[in-house]
Amino acid sequence: DTAIPNLFQVLDFHEQLIESLSQLASLFCETGKKEEAVQTNYEALKGYRKLLEKNPSVYYVYDTQVASILSQLSFDLGELGRKKEALDVTQEAVEAYRKLSHEDPDAFNALLAMNLKYLGNQLSELGQQTKAVTVYSEALKTMRMYVIRNSSAKEDLSEYAQAYTQACAATNLQPDSDL
């Protein structure tokens, strides 16, 4: 009987420790210490993944944290010039947000769209324009679904349309008129 409360106490302690790591990474980022932020976020990411292994029933909470850390990590890696690593992490963030968005579109479609747009930007920078068009298209569609339910975000839609249109122009592709 006492083993179960002790397990929850241990999990709670680990969760608080990992949240502290994530907060520390944010402080490093705010003070311009990007390398330290990246290292600390990787540690927080490992911690959340271990918590997920030990307690998969609360995946929604931890997956949200994992997605958020991946998103920040990809941005920081990009700023450090670690483009390939940033691309891999961004793709992982997109997959995490896809899963979350599937379960709760109102809460996660905007974040999914934002990460898709960032992925499109990275692909463009790496000269992968055709892939970027596909990703920007998905970002635009996702953001449109979000705007349908949240009209206050309508102004954000234009930047997604612009990114898609510019990527189409860079590849001499005709933009999809349905978008």
Side-chain angles (χ1 to χ4, degrees):
D1 239 11
T2 59
I4 297 213
N6 289 338
L7 174 64
F8 286 122
Q9 289 173 341
V10 169
L11 286 173
D12 186 50
F13 173 75
H14 283 258
E15 185 176 354
Q16 290 174 13
L17 179 62
I18 295 163
E19 285 174 13
S20 295
L21 281 172
S22 185
Q23 291 170 357
L24 179 61
S26 293
L27 288 172
F28 280 141
C29 195
E30 289 172 13
T31 58
K33 297 179 179 180
K34 294 285 185 183
E35 191 59 50
E36 290 86 347
V38 164
Q39 291 171 2
T40 306
N41 267 329
Y42 270 128
E43 288 303 313
L45 194 57
K46 277 196 282 188
Y48 276 119
R49 287 182 170 152
K50 284 181 183 179
L51 283 174
L52 274 165
E53 287 174 20
K54 291 178 183 178
N55 197 6
S57 65
V58 293
Y59 74 93
Y60 185 82
V61 173
Y62 296 146
D63 277 357
T64 301
Q65 294 301 324
V66 166
S68 177
I69 290 170
L70 287 167
S71 184
Q72 183 61 49
L73 192 55
S74 69
F75 182 78
D76 293 342
L77 287 165
E79 286 197 341
L80 288 171
R82 293 160 60 179
K83 294 185 185 297
K84 175 64 175 122
E85 190 177 355
L87 179 66
D88 292 341
V89 171
T90 304
Q91 289 171 327
E92 199 175 343
V94 164
E95 289 308 312
Y97 278 117
R98 270 194 188 115
K99 180 179 175 184
L100 290 164
S101 180
H102 179 72
E103 294 197 20
D104 190 353
D106 288 340
F108 294 104
N109 268 357
L111 292 167
L112 173 58
M114 179 185 73
N115 279 274
L116 283 164
K117 184 172 172 255
Y118 189 59
L119 177 59
N121 293 347
Q122 290 173 315
L123 290 167
S124 289
E125 286 177 18
L126 293 170
Q128 299 179 33
Q129 297 298 335
T130 305
K131 287 182 183 178
V133 168
T134 302
V135 171
Y136 284 135
S137 172
E138 183 182 353
L140 181 55
K141 289 175 188 173
T142 303
M143 194 60 177
R144 282 200 178 186
M145 287 188 294
Y146 180 74
V147 168
I148 288 169
R149 295 179 172 188
N150 302 284
S151 60
S152 63
K154 198 171 192 171
E155 63 212 33
D156 296 334
L157 195 56
S158 64
E159 71 181 64
Y160 289 86
Q162 182 180 4
Y164 171 68
T165 304
Q166 288 174 345
C168 286
T171 56
N172 295 318
L173 293 173
Q174 194 68 7
D176 184 345
S177 60
D178 293 334
L179 293 176

